[in-house]
Amino acid sequence: MPVSRPARHPAGIASGSSGTGVLNIGEVLRELAEDFPRVTASKIRFLEEKGLISPQRTRAGYRKYAGHDVERLRFVLALQRDQYLPLKVIKDYVDAIDRGERPESLPGGMTLSPRVVSDQLSRELSAHGRRLTAETLAAEAGAPRRLVDDLVSFGLITAVDNRFDEHALKITKACLQLESHGIEPRHLRPFRAAADRELGLVERVVAPVASRKDVASKARAAETAREISELCLGLHSALVHSHIARMDS
C-alpha cells in the first residue's frame, strides 16, 4: 500500500502535474488516484454539495478544476480519511482560511503551518497505510508485549491478517498510561461493550441511507456516522466530567 503524501494547506496550489491549466473531473481523479484510489466522481460531487470545494463551471455547465481545487480536495480527503474528522469541522477550518484568518489548530491540538500540515499530522498521515505486527505495535507504543497480548485477549484491539492498524496503536498507548494508574486491560472490557453499543446505535440511524447502492449515499452515511460518533464522544466526556467536578465541591 503506498504511503500517503502529506496533505497541503487548502489554499496552496500544487506544483504537480495539474500545472496552471484546468482539469475535468476524470483528470482530477487521476491526480488523486495514488493517494486516494477509492475516491469517485460521486464523492467529489458530494464534497462540492457540502461546500468543501467550489469548482468553476463552463457555459455548458461542466465543472472545471484548478490546481488549488485539487490540493484542497487532497487536504480534505486526507483529514477525513486519516483523522476521521467530520466534514463540518474541516469545512469550518477551511472557511476560516478563506476569510483570511489563521486558526491555530484542528481538534486534538494539531496545528497547520502557513502552507503545509504540521509535522505531527504529516507523521500521522504517513502512518495511515502501515500495518504493525504485535512486536512493532508494542515497540512503537513503548509497551511490553504482554500488554498487547492482554489487549487482544480482552477484545480491545484486533489483528487483521496478524497486523494491527493505527487505531490499535492509539488504544495501546492509552491503555499503557491507564495501567500506570492501576487500571488493567481486564478492567476495560466495559469500554469495548460500550463502543459496540454506540456503533450499533449509529448503524441503525444511518442504515436507511447506507443501504442505498450509489456512492454519494454511502458517503453521506459515513459522514453522518462520523458526526453522530463525535456527538456521542462529547456527551460521554461531558457526563464523566460533570461527575468529576462534584469531587471538588
Side-chain angles (χ1 to χ4, degrees):
M1 181 178 297
V3 175
S4 304
R5 289 180 290 182
R8 290 190 178 276
H9 188 284
I13 297 179
S15 59
S17 59
S18 55
T20 59
V22 295
L23 307 175
N24 61 38
I25 198 164
E27 291 167 330
V28 171
L29 290 173
R30 287 194 290 274
E31 285 283 312
L32 299 172
E34 181 180 352
D35 293 327
F36 305 97
R38 298 180 64 182
V39 72
T40 63
S42 295
K43 172 73 173 188
I44 293 176
R45 285 193 288 268
F46 173 69
L47 294 176
E48 180 184 352
E49 177 185 318
K50 290 295 185 180
L52 272 300
I53 58 170
S54 300
Q56 295 183 14
R57 297 274 187 146
T58 66
R59 289 184 179 180
Y62 295 106
R63 296 170 178 85
K64 54 181 183 179
Y65 300 85
H68 62 83
D69 293 318
V70 177
E71 287 309 296
R72 189 179 180 104
L73 274 169
R74 196 185 304 279
F75 177 84
V76 169
L77 290 168
L79 287 182
Q80 187 185 29
R81 180 195 66 188
D82 299 320
Q83 297 302 321
Y84 307 96
L85 297 178
L87 288 180
K88 184 181 183 304
V89 173
I90 301 173
K91 185 177 187 302
D92 289 344
Y93 192 93
V94 296
D95 283 350
I97 296 293
D98 290 342
R99 293 192 299 268
E101 300 173 13
R102 291 296 182 90
E104 293 185 356
S105 66
L106 286 161
M110 294 176 294
T111 59
L112 294 177
S113 63
R115 285 191 58 81
V116 296
V117 169
S118 67
D119 290 342
Q120 175 190 351
L121 182 50
S122 294
R123 286 193 296 270
E124 296 218 13
L125 293 177
S126 296
H128 171 74
R130 291 185 306 160
R131 291 294 180 265
L132 307 172
T133 65
E135 289 77 12
T136 54
L137 173 62
E140 294 210 15
R145 172 60 190 271
R146 166 197 54 78
L147 178 61
V148 172
D149 292 339
D150 286 348
L151 294 177
V152 172
S153 175
F154 290 111
L156 293 166
I157 60 175
T158 304
V160 177
D161 296 329
N162 295 318
R163 294 291 187 274
F164 298 91
D165 60 15
E166 68 272 15
H167 302 297
L169 179 58
K170 292 178 181 179
I171 292 169
T172 304
K173 287 180 177 179
C175 291
L176 178 63
Q177 294 182 48
L178 287 170
E179 196 173 56
S180 69
H181 294 282
I183 302 174
E184 300 175 6
R186 61 190 175 89
H187 301 135
L188 299 174
R189 282 180 292 183
F191 283 83
R192 175 75 269 170
D196 289 340
R197 288 195 298 271
E198 179 184 324
L199 179 60
L201 174 63
V202 172
E203 288 178 335
R204 287 195 297 274
V205 172
V206 303
V209 178
S211 62
R212 299 173 188 169
K213 301 300 183 182
D214 60 292
V215 176
S217 293
K218 292 184 181 299
R220 289 188 182 90
E223 179 58 23
T224 300
R226 289 187 184 94
E227 291 178 359
I228 295 173
S229 177
E230 288 294 319
L231 291 171
C232 289
L233 289 172
L235 173 61
H236 174 82
S237 178
L239 289 170
V240 172
H241 288 162
S242 70
H243 285 284
I244 293 176
R246 295 172 193 166
M247 296 171 65
D248 291 332
S249 59

